[in-house]
Amino acid sequence: AARKYAAGDGWAAVNGHWSPLLPWLLAPWFKLGVPEILALKITLLLGGLFAVVAFYRLSRRFEIEPRIRMWACLAFLPMALYFSLVHCTPDVLMLGFMLGYLSVLFDRDFLRTRWGGAWCGVMAGLAYLSKSYALPFFCLHFPLVILLHALRAEGAKPWKPAVARAAMGFACIALIAASWIGVVSAKYGAFTLSKVASYNWSYSHPEAVDRMTLDLGLVPPASDRDISAWDDPPAPPVVRWSPFDSMKMFRQWLYMLARRAAKTALILETMSWLVIPVIILCLLGLWRHWRLWREKFHEYLPLLTVLSFPCGYILMWVVERYLWLVTAIALLLAAQALRGVLPRCRSQAWRRALSVLLA
């Protein structure tokens, strides 16, 4: 797609399988004659740098001591490098924009910020252009968090600013997303959000054998200018199914969900052994003090995000790069948890050891 944009053939570059932001960012490099792999790595490194800045901004929404915040940011640096250099996907772009979105939304005074809702919509819109999963997640996560902000707010009329911020956020993401959705729908002659969702849902059928390669065999490229069929993948045979078609299908679907949930936990544990214990300890702590949820409001929002973000993937398909946002937030939760541990450590050496352990 980036080659077509660089050649000026934008209409041919449009397709419903690949999100457009990464090809848009690559096209200028191709136009300048930069080798493709080098251009890709430069672009992803810049995306990783943006993710580091967004991570630092998000860390300021947590109750973390400056020294521990420094260690947390240093620990995130090799993660960002790994995300940028090892993988050649737009997931690191989505990670940066989602961290930026959360850094605005987690502000305790969010309902008092004038343009907070608009910035959330812009960040989520750019995340959608990086990867389509950001749109349904935003549509569920954003209003829920604003509702919690309104329930926590003190004063007689918290709902008016809450509705205003929600309206600004949805207006901004609608403006960004609708422009791309309109172009894709015009090309395919039907309303199209993304071809990826229907593709993955078809292959999440409990009796599906394998991915598209086994079902379609060798597929020719869509045009002479394409290198492979993956430049603009053809629509696979759509298997229309529902888990409620039969009791047998429902049981198989629940079994698949359980397997994907277990796989998600295993991936998170592989990425960092701290992720699962930190999430469990935070859940237990908040459950114990649930009556003080207004005072611990800043701790509920990250947990809500960590638990809700993988759910859409669990319904269809889970791999490691889909869970980078969960790992980043878990790192901040671990840093925040040290706030209650360090005061009990009288030895300065133990304090330093715990801070280094976080990294």
Side-chain angles (χ1 to χ4, degrees):
R3 297 189 198 97
K4 295 176 183 177
Y5 283 121
D9 194 3
W11 186 250
V14 173
N15 71 76
H17 194 88
W18 305 113
S19 297
L21 186 59
L22 183 57
W24 289 349
L25 295 175
L26 289 174
W29 295 107
F30 291 179
K31 196 76 173 178
L32 293 173
V34 179
E36 294 182 0
I37 296 298
L38 179 60
L40 177 62
K41 294 306 179 182
I42 292 174
T43 302
L44 295 181
L45 277 173
L46 292 175
L49 178 61
F50 179 83
V52 171
V53 174
F55 180 85
Y56 171 76
R57 287 183 56 85
L58 179 60
S59 70
R60 298 185 66 85
R61 306 302 182 194
F62 289 70
E63 291 186 352
I64 303 174
E65 294 182 5
R67 179 181 54 188
I68 301 178
R69 179 179 292 112
M70 178 193 70
W71 281 108
C73 292
L74 288 176
F76 185 72
L77 275 175
M79 294 169 60
L81 284 174
Y82 168 75
F83 299 158
S84 304
L85 295 177
V86 175
H87 295 270
C88 298
T89 63
D91 294 87
V92 70
L93 300 179
M94 178 186 175
L95 172 65
F97 292 125
M98 291 305 297
L99 290 173
Y101 155 71
L102 295 176
S103 70
V104 178
L105 188 60
F106 285 2
D107 188 348
R108 297 191 186 191
D109 296 323
F110 175 76
L111 297 183
R112 299 178 185 176
T113 59
R114 186 174 183 179
W115 300 106
W119 276 113
C120 284
V122 170
M123 288 289 106
L126 293 173
Y128 164 73
L129 294 179
S130 305
K131 198 168 182 182
S132 57
Y133 182 76
L135 181 60
F137 175 73
F138 174 85
C139 291
L140 295 175
H141 182 264
F142 184 60
L144 181 57
V145 174
I146 287 186
L147 175 63
L148 294 176
H149 273 294
L151 292 174
R152 173 183 174 269
E154 298 178 357
K157 298 180 179 179
W159 298 106
K160 185 176 180 180
V163 172
R165 277 33 174 205
M168 283 193 294
F170 279 110
C172 288
I173 194 173
L175 184 64
I176 295 172
S179 58
W180 176 247
I181 292 171
V183 172
V184 175
S185 300
K187 181 168 184 178
Y188 291 110
F191 179 75
T192 305
L193 284 173
S194 171
K195 292 198 302 183
V196 179
S198 58
Y199 166 71
N200 284 332
W201 180 251
S202 294
Y203 286 92
S204 65
H205 190 288
E207 297 177 358
V209 177
D210 210 324
R211 309 293 286 178
M212 189 178 73
T213 50
L214 291 183
D215 285 355
L216 297 182
L218 295 175
V219 180
S223 69
D224 295 338
R225 302 176 67 178
D226 294 334
I227 295 178
S228 75
W230 284 105
D231 285 4
D232 188 0
V238 177
V239 180
R240 301 192 180 279
W241 70 280
S242 168
F244 306 105
D245 288 341
S246 66
M247 183 58 66
K248 177 184 177 182
M249 186 72 70
F250 184 70
R251 287 196 300 265
Q252 288 180 313
W253 182 65
L254 291 180
Y255 173 70
M256 287 182 63
L257 291 183
R259 287 187 60 184
R260 291 196 192 109
K263 181 182 178 181
T264 300
L266 181 62
I267 292 173
L268 291 173
E269 190 70 18
T270 303
M271 294 174 70
S272 173
W273 65 271
L274 281 173
V275 175
I276 300 299
V278 164
I279 293 175
I280 293 175
L281 289 175
C282 290
L283 281 173
L284 292 176
L286 293 179
W287 177 264
R288 182 180 178 185
H289 302 98
W290 67 271
R291 296 180 184 275
L292 303 174
W293 76 271
R294 282 185 171 85
E295 289 77 5
K296 294 184 174 293
F297 174 75
H298 60 284
E299 299 179 14
Y300 278 90
L301 295 187
L303 277 176
L304 172 65
T305 306
V306 163
L307 295 176
S308 61
F309 186 77
C311 289
Y313 290 126
I314 290 174
L315 289 174
M316 292 185 283
W317 189 256
V318 183
V319 294
E320 176 195 305
R321 54 191 169 87
Y322 296 171
L323 304 174
W324 289 346
L325 180 65
V326 176
T327 307
I329 298 175
L331 176 60
L332 292 174
L333 286 173
Q336 185 171 256
L338 287 180
R339 176 174 55 92
V341 176
L342 290 182
R344 302 179 183 180
C345 297
R346 298 180 180 180
S347 171
Q348 189 69 19
W350 275 106
R351 294 189 179 191
R352 292 177 181 175
L354 286 174
S355 299
V356 173
L357 178 62
L358 170 64

